[in-house]
Amino acid sequence: PGASRNRFAYNEAGQVRIRAGLPIYECNSRCRCGAECPNRVVQRGIRYDLCIFRTGDGRGWGVRTLQRIRKNSFVMEYVGEIITSEEAERRGQVYDRQGATYLFDLDYVEDVYTVDAAHYGNISHFVNHSCDPNLQVYNVFIENLDQRLPRIALFATRPIRAGEELTFDYNMHVDPVDAESTRMDSNFGLVGGSLGGSPRARGRIECKCGAASCRKFLF
């Protein structure tokens, strides 16, 4: 982190301590530290017992945690196939007709690549949207420093109870608290809009998250 002029992202317990919007640079194969280095968190993978379940309110499948999760802890990485934004636009039209949302724009600096979790991925494929989520997206760089290709890591925004459903905001916008954070504007689902990072709306999708602060529509 010092070499990249960024703050050390984690405390001794592996909890993120920088604000959302700032990049996380973890140690990698060129570092002399070992696997237990406190700056190796996302690369260790999922550390909690998670469970896929069928929701009862029409939201399809969801993910809940079987263990208590501490605030600011890494929970999972959004994993999928990396494709160009042009290919994502084509696939997005197909997914729209299916009512599915699997595309995540990698628009940390520019809208060039997208992660598609429809065919390749992990349990993050099943995480639902909420307008009041308990997970926050961070852009993470480990072996790769190409800012067009960050890894998408989900951290807990608050303590999460065992048995609670995990959610993140599919249309998250980070407040521009400083110059660095204005570069992050994560959009999930309907991809392929302007270079500013906003998804191109093909039709409004009703939100069923049930949060008191629900915006009523996903996009």
Side-chain angles (χ1 to χ4, degrees), residues 27-45:
C27 292
N28 55 47
S29 60
R30 300 188 68 177
C31 299
R32 285 179 253 181
C33 57
E36 297 307 311
C37 170
N39 195 41
R40 296 179 184 269
V41 174
V42 172
Q43 61 193 269
R44 294 181 193 151

Side-chain angles (χ1 to χ4, degrees), residues 114-142:
T114 295
V115 174
D116 183 1
H119 306 291
Y120 304 93
N122 61 4
I123 197 170
S124 65
H125 170 106
F126 299 98
V127 176
N128 280 314
H129 161 85
S130 176
C131 296
D132 184 21
N134 51 25
L135 300 179
Q136 171 72 50
V137 173
Y138 280 81
N139 287 295
V140 181
F141 300 90
I142 305 175

Side-chain angles (χ1 to χ4, degrees), residues 97-183:
R97 291 193 292 270
Q98 299 171 347
T101 51
Y102 301 119
L103 301 171
F104 201 123
D105 279 339
L106 299 180
D107 51 5
Y108 175 60
V109 290
E110 56 182 314
D111 191 6
V112 178
Y113 299 107
T114 295
V115 174
D116 183 1
H119 306 291
Y120 304 93
N122 61 4
I123 197 170
S124 65
H125 170 106
F126 299 98
V127 176
N128 280 314
H129 161 85
S130 176
C131 296
D132 184 21
N134 51 25
L135 300 179
Q136 171 72 50
V137 173
Y138 280 81
N139 287 295
V140 181
F141 300 90
I142 305 175
E143 295 292 346
N144 166 54
L145 293 179
D146 186 341
Q147 293 189 327
R148 300 172 303 169
L149 291 167
R151 291 170 65 163
I152 303 302
L154 299 170
F155 287 79
T157 61
R158 55 174 174 78
I160 304 174
R161 304 181 309 273
E164 188 175 347
E165 181 176 2
L166 301 174
T167 58
F168 70 92
D169 191 338
Y170 284 10
N171 197 20
M172 180 196 70
H173 295 272
V174 175
D175 293 331
V177 291
D178 52 41
E180 189 74 31
S181 70
T182 61
R183 304 168 81 182

